[in-house]
Amino acid sequence: MAHDHSTHDHSMHTTGSCNNSPPPKQCLTSMAMTFSWSFETTVLFNSWKTTGPTSMFFLCIVIFALALGHEYLQVQRSIVDARYSAILDRGRSTADDDDTLALTSTTQPTIGNEEGITTANGNQTMTKGSLEKYHLLRTGYHVISAFTSLTIMTVFMTLNMWIVFAVLAGTVKNSRNV
């Protein structure tokens, strides 16, 4: 059985241009499968394109700032995590009865009174609201970190070496802050 392709519309198989369909036109771009040094590339959206060395330079500055901001966020997140863990550890070691601090199987604190965690010597260490604020802060850092890391990964996947080096330069960590 012969299959004639002469009547089929193969306009969607062309890449790098818009087809001849009525508006809205379907514009297709091809994704690079090898590393390149081109100054013309599309990043994340069809409308975000570089057209030469100047636009590539400014794009690399933006990508560098995004990667650097992601690393800064990771450092801040680790500081908040360390504080939160220290508070929980202090609460675990000083809790004297079930009414002050009970840890569930997920190690999330459950406070029995609204005043806060009371230590064995009577000092108040943390209120329920403060623990909730730390938890919300940690959750916010996690969501923003996930978004920025996935965005950086997607940008890296353009395989444009100018962008790759901008990402790598922005991910350099300051070892004193970690």
Side-chain angles (χ1 to χ4, degrees), residues 15-176:
T15 58
S17 63
C18 296
N19 65 15
N20 294 327
S21 64
K25 292 189 180 246
Q26 298 284 329
C27 295
L28 302 173
T29 57
S30 61
M31 185 172 160
M33 300 307 268
T34 58
F35 289 101
S36 72
W37 290 93
S38 173
F39 289 116
E40 297 178 8
T41 190
T42 302
V43 180
L44 298 178
F45 307 102
N46 282 336
S47 60
W48 194 4
K49 297 180 182 192
T50 60
T51 56
T54 304
S55 60
M56 180 59 77
F57 175 77
F58 287 115
L59 173 66
C60 287
I61 298 276
V62 169
I63 300 302
F64 172 79
L66 178 66
L68 194 64
H70 176 74
E71 291 301 321
Y72 176 77
L73 182 71
Q74 294 295 87
V75 169
Q76 295 303 311
R77 181 179 169 192
S78 67
I79 291 169
V80 168
D81 284 345
R83 288 180 184 164
Y84 188 72
S85 294
I87 290 167
L88 290 180
D89 288 342
R90 192 172 353 144
R92 278 188 210 116
S93 65
T94 58
D96 55 353
D97 59 32
D98 291 337
D99 192 35
T100 56
L101 176 68
L103 295 176
T104 63
S105 60
T106 59
T107 68
Q108 291 298 325
T110 305
I111 309 293
N113 55 11
E114 196 61 36
E115 291 82 31
I117 301 170
T118 306
T119 62
N121 61 4
N123 293 335
Q124 188 175 357
T125 59
M126 185 59 70
T127 64
K128 182 178 180 180
S130 296
L131 285 174
E132 288 175 354
K133 286 178 187 175
Y134 267 106
H135 183 70
L136 286 174
L137 185 61
R138 291 175 68 227
T139 301
Y141 274 134
H142 177 75
V143 169
I144 295 168
S145 176
F147 177 78
T148 57
S149 64
L150 290 171
T151 302
I152 290 167
M153 178 199 63
T154 305
V155 168
F156 190 95
M157 287 173 47
T158 62
L159 300 179
N160 184 297
M161 292 305 293
W162 301 110
I163 295 172
V164 166
F165 285 131
V167 168
L168 293 176
T171 59
V172 174
K173 289 186 179 181
N174 184 351
S175 61
R176 291 181 298 155

